[in-house]
Structures are given as structure tokens and as C-alpha cells.
Amino acid sequence: MNETQHLDGPDLRRGVVRDRLTEGQPLLGHVDGEAVILVRSGTRVDAVSATCTHYAGPLAEGVVDGERVYCPWHHACFSLRSGMVLGAPGLNPLRCYTVEERDGRVFVTVPRTPPRPAPPPRNPASVLIVGAGAAGEAAATELRRAGHAGSITLLAAEPDTPVDRPNLSKDYLAGKAPPEWLPLRGAEYWREQDIRLLPGARATALDTAARRVMCSDGRQFEYAALLLATGAQPIRLLIPGADAPHVHVLRSLADTQAILTAIERGARRVVVIGASFIGLEVAAALRARAIEVRVVAPETRPLQRVFGARLADHLRGVHEALGTVFHLGRKPAAIHAHAVELDDGALLPADLVVMGVGVRPDVALAEQAGLRIDNGIVVDRYLATSVADVWAAGDVANWPDARGGRRQRIEHWALAQAQGKAAARNLLGFVEPFLEVPFFWSQHGDLTLSYVGHATHWDAQEEEGDPASGNYLCRYLLDGSVRAVVSIGRDRDSLRAQIAMRHAVSAS
């Protein structure tokens, strides 16, 4: 995550011949010890730092679209003009450099000082954000970047600062990522941005008439504008033993720490209930620790409803090669102290059980306050709720999809960040409809899947390559329109698919 990129390419301070620059193709070089890309667009040439501010991805290997450059790893998007973050999961702006042209050569000189943002169209005296996950953190950050001058309070129900949640079931659980990678921001960040972050502040009541939120510890917070980013809560099956001490879910840092503590205390046989993305990522991560893992799920193929039969079979094979044992077509009937009982009477030995059977949107606060609820908090295309000056974003928000005309609620980390940013801008009066194309990545041992768009069903698939080759792409179509694309080892093609979908939405 914090790897330093090698300084390849020319020293851009010494200049490069302009004819060496290909339209829309980043040229990797370096300036004063920092990797920098140079991009020509017509008569204009821009220079920005070459390292993505999310996981240090190589922007020189990404895709340029107009004034935007996209990271090939997780699709973060930045402005080539200003370096500003334009799309999740980018965390911080890129450094921008002054570019000069002399005698047919292009020189990169000194870093440019970012301009101060102009006052937004609307500047509420106080913004209160309930929830400090992906959407909440992104909203607080965007409020300051967009020029908000009022107070910002971020209520975090969990005791930890906002963390990189996707890592909890991936490299961190596998023991490949250190704990210092997890916080999205250091404590100094909140002080510098004058954002009041309150860990352990669980909101329990909302009075929209009085514009006040009450917390479980008795504290009350008033607001001029409110963003609900309460996320979702993991489901526990209603079976005997589901609440036993050795049964865990995985949603928060505390959940991951509890699983790791159990392993440190000797747990060596794990049953994962559910072949969801979380369930399978947990299985792969624990196999990296040489833990015995069995996966129980009612379907006959893992994630077939998302990927179709061919990729689902490949995914199962990947996990079996890691040593995971599947019990598909089965459901758990009960959880005992040292075993999980299946619906056919079989007993699977288990020191530890992890449930990955989905989540429910956390709508309790909104429902109590009388907001419109339907599979989450119902919002319009600007992420505004049914009550004035209240917005919602992230896993809890049910918004109208500009591509398909239907409402949807999607539980993707990068999408939650994008919605948090969009909601922040709209409560500041920018009036920008939310049109971002969903994207997520999923890690299974050495296999990484990239998925753009959203397809609950399809009537045709277009496949290129073989999943087993590490070079594969599949388009999911409905009525002749591409609804989603999944890929393995095709980062730039995945990006191009997302950009094409974005343009189609913007033009509609």
C-alpha cells in the first residue's frame, strides 16, 4: 500500500522532445526524486505525480480520458489539470507541476500550489455526518475540499477511526498487510481539516423538526445539514448456536481482530457459512495462514448468480487449489461448541465459525425519524432523502440508477466513497446528479477479479479468453446493452468498460 515507485523514464526537468508525447498516453518520468507522468491533450501538456494515492498504483499504466487519468488497479480517478480526486477510491490529490515548452521540448519544473476553493453555492453553518465508513469519511473530506467553511462533525459508532474496510477480509486478515495500513487518515488529518471526529458516538434518535441527533451516551448534536451514512449490518442466521462466542461476522476492524485473536489462541479448524464475496475472501485469507477451512453454502456454484457458471466453476477451483473444502447445496442447522451441524446431519469440526451471509441496511435511525424507507433509505438522483436538508449515501442509500431506470442499493466500498463525495457537494448546493458507475474488486489468493457496472440478471454473455489463463473478460448484456463487465488480468480493458458506461450515462 505504501510502496515507493521506481524512478523509471527520463528526468523531466531536463525536458523531453514534444514529439515523443503520444496523445492521451502517459509518459513516465521523474522530477526531483518523484515519479511523474506527462500527458499531452491537443496543444496542452500536463504533469502530475505518477503514483495513485489509494494503494500506490502506477498511473502510467492507467487510462486517460480527456482531463482525467484513471488508476489501473482500483479505478481511482484524478484531474490532470489540478490533481484533484475526481473518483473513488483516491484519497488525496496528486501533486501538479508547472510545464514549460521551449524549442520543441517540454520541461517539467516546480510543483504548483493548489488554488484555494471558491465558496460553494451554499454554506450551511453546520454539517453533521452520522457514520464514519467509506461514505462518511469521503463526505467530510469533500466538504473541506469544496470550500465549506462551517463546522463538520463526524459521528463514528465504532471506536476506531475510519479504516480501509476492504483490507479487513483480504491482506490484513491473511497477515500480509500491517495494522498501520488500515486507518484511512491519521489523527492529525482531522485536526488539520478542522473536522470533529467522535469515535464511539452511536446515534440512536433523530428529530428532523428540531434538526437534532441524539446519541446513546446522552450527547445531542444539532445540524443545518445532515448526511446519513449508517451503512449496513451483517446478518446472523437464526439457528441454534449462532450467538456462541466462537461465531463471528466480519464487518469492522473489531470483527477481524476477534477472528485473529481466536487463531492466536489456537483455532485451527474454521467453518465459513456463506459463499459470498466476504465468505470466500475470508476463506482464502485464512488458508494463507494454513488454517483448515470449510465453506458451507446452499448454492451449487459459488457466486454463480453474479458471474455465471463458467467463472463460478473457476473460482471454486481456485479455492480448492488453496485447500478449501466446499459443502455446497447444504445449509447449517445448528452450531455446537466444536462443530457445525448441517441440514443433512453431517458434523463439520469447527473451532471457529465465520458467517458471511449478507448484510442489511442500517435504517433504524432514518425509520424512527419518518424518512421514506424501501430496501434502505430512499434518495433522489442527488442523494437527498424525503426530508429537507437530509441526505443519505453508501450502503444504506437506495437511489435511482441512471443506466437502467430502476432503483438499487449496492454494497461496494468505492461506490460508497463516490456517493459520500456526491452527497457532500449536493448539500453545498452544486446540484450534481449521481451518475457514477459501480466498481469493486475481490481477492482470492493470487486471483483478483475486477467488476464494473451492475447486473442482477442478463440475457447474453460475451467472453474473451479463459479464466484459468489469467487473461479473461466477460460482458453481461441485457437487451443488447452491456450492464456489467468482469475481468481477470485485464485492468485497462476494465477501465475502458467503466469509462464507456460513464459516458453513456452522462449522454442519456
Side-chain angles (χ1 to χ4, degrees):
M1 182 175 177
N2 295 322
E3 295 177 1
T4 301
Q5 192 166 5
H6 294 297
L7 297 178
D8 296 326
D11 183 344
L12 299 177
R13 269 196 179 276
R14 298 181 178 181
V16 295
V17 177
R18 180 183 173 86
D19 290 346
R20 185 176 172 182
L21 301 177
T22 302
E23 177 82 13
Q25 177 61 52
L27 173 69
L28 177 63
H30 55 90
V31 176
D32 298 338
E34 180 178 8
V36 171
I37 55 171
L38 205 57
V39 181
R40 178 169 71 86
S41 177
T43 60
R44 182 184 178 110
V45 179
D46 293 289
V48 296
S49 49
T51 306
C52 179
T53 58
H54 176 231
Y55 274 12
L59 295 180
E61 300 174 16
V63 173
V64 172
D65 178 45
E67 72 164 83
R68 296 170 172 245
V69 59
Y70 289 81
C71 177
W73 288 0
H74 304 117
H75 298 203
C77 177
F78 304 89
S79 169
L80 289 167
R81 309 288 190 262
S82 66
M84 293 303 295
V85 178
L86 298 180
L91 291 174
N92 299 307
L94 302 176
R95 193 191 308 274
C96 274
Y97 288 83
T98 299
V99 176
E100 299 176 358
E101 296 190 47
R102 300 188 299 272
D103 303 323
R105 292 178 67 84
V106 177
F107 299 84
V108 178
T109 59
V110 296
R112 300 203 319 257
T113 301
R116 292 180 62 86
R122 179 173 179 261
N123 223 331
S126 60
V127 178
L128 181 63
I129 302 171
V130 180
E137 184 279 326
T141 291
E142 182 62 22
L143 286 170
R144 285 291 182 243
R145 288 181 183 162
H148 176 55
S151 69
I152 303 172
T153 301
L154 188 56
L155 303 183
E158 297 170 357
D160 305 294
T161 58
V163 297
D164 179 23
R165 181 170 286 147
N167 219 331
L168 296 180
S169 60
K170 297 180 175 72
D171 285 347
Y172 181 65
L173 184 60
K176 299 177 182 179
E180 55 266 27
W181 282 17
L182 293 178
L184 289 178
R185 309 286 185 185
E188 68 282 356
Y189 173 84
W190 307 105
R191 292 192 296 269
E192 291 169 357
Q193 298 298 316
D194 191 22
I195 296 171
R196 189 183 181 195
L197 171 65
L198 300 177
R202 182 174 295 279
T204 54
L206 166 60
D207 184 339
T208 58
R211 295 176 179 253
R212 182 182 300 120
V213 170
M214 287 68 76
C215 290
S216 57
D217 59 7
R219 286 182 290 178
Q220 299 186 11
F221 300 90
E222 296 183 350
Y223 65 85
L226 174 67
L227 173 63
L228 297 177
T230 47
Q233 294 298 319
I235 296 170
R236 283 183 181 263
L237 296 178
L238 299 177
I239 59 174
D243 57 352
H246 67 301
V247 180
H248 302 274
V249 294
L250 200 162
R251 180 73 178 176
S252 66
L253 177 57
D255 294 333
T256 304
Q257 295 288 28
I259 293 170
L260 292 175
T261 297
I263 292 171
E264 290 168 2
R265 291 176 178 173
R268 287 295 176 268
R269 301 172 301 176
V270 176
V271 170
V272 175
I273 298 175
S276 62
F277 285 106
I278 286 292
L280 293 180
E281 288 183 353
V282 167
L286 294 183
R287 284 302 302 144
R289 292 178 176 270
I291 304 298
E292 177 186 308
V293 179
R294 297 173 182 269
V295 174
V296 177
E299 57 263 40
T300 56
R301 290 185 173 98
L303 297 176
Q304 180 177 355
R305 66 177 183 83
V306 180
F307 295 139
R310 186 182 184 192
L311 186 52
D313 284 339
H314 174 66
L315 190 59
R316 174 177 179 171
V318 167
H319 281 271
E320 289 178 333
L322 294 173
T324 296
V325 177
F326 284 93
H327 299 265
L328 299 175
R330 298 266 64 92
K331 295 180 180 180
I335 300 173
H336 306 294
H338 301 289
V340 173
E341 181 181 347
L342 303 186
D343 53 1
D344 63 354
L347 292 175
L348 306 182
D351 308 313
L352 174 68
V353 178
V354 180
M355 282 195 183
V357 294
V359 297
R360 294 189 182 95
D362 190 348
V363 299
L365 191 68
E367 192 169 35
Q368 166 267 313
L371 275 67
R372 184 183 171 196
I373 305 296
D374 182 8
N375 183 30
I377 301 173
V378 175
V379 296
D380 63 15
R381 61 202 300 249
Y382 305 101
L383 303 179
T385 72
S386 57
V387 173
D389 295 321
V390 181
W391 286 258
D395 293 357
V396 76
N398 181 331
W399 87 100
D401 175 23
R403 297 175 63 233
R406 298 180 179 180
R407 288 196 157 272
Q408 59 188 8
R409 188 183 62 80
I410 300 177
E411 299 145 7
H412 298 343
W413 174 260
L415 186 73
Q417 287 178 310
Q419 286 190 346
K421 177 183 173 74
R425 294 185 61 80
N426 282 320
L427 70 83
L428 292 179
F430 286 100
V431 194
E432 299 168 351
F434 183 72
L435 302 175
E436 292 300 316
V437 176
F439 164 77
F440 73 88
W441 71 97
S442 187
Q443 189 172 313
H444 307 264
D446 293 333
L447 172 68
T448 298
L449 297 164
S450 294
Y451 185 99
V452 298
H454 185 65
T456 56
H457 58 285
W458 57 87
D459 53 27
Q461 291 179 241
E462 294 178 352
E463 295 182 279
E464 298 176 8
D466 182 349
S469 71
N471 187 327
Y472 175 75
L473 184 142
C474 181
R475 301 177 187 88
Y476 301 88
L477 296 89
L478 183 64
D479 298 329
S481 173
V482 176
R483 307 300 299 162
V485 175
V486 66
S487 63
I488 301 171
R490 300 276 292 268
D491 291 335
R492 289 172 63 86
D493 289 333
S494 176
L495 270 175
R496 291 188 183 102
Q498 185 179 20
I499 292 168
M501 291 181 191
R502 180 177 176 273
H503 284 312
V505 168
S506 299
S508 62

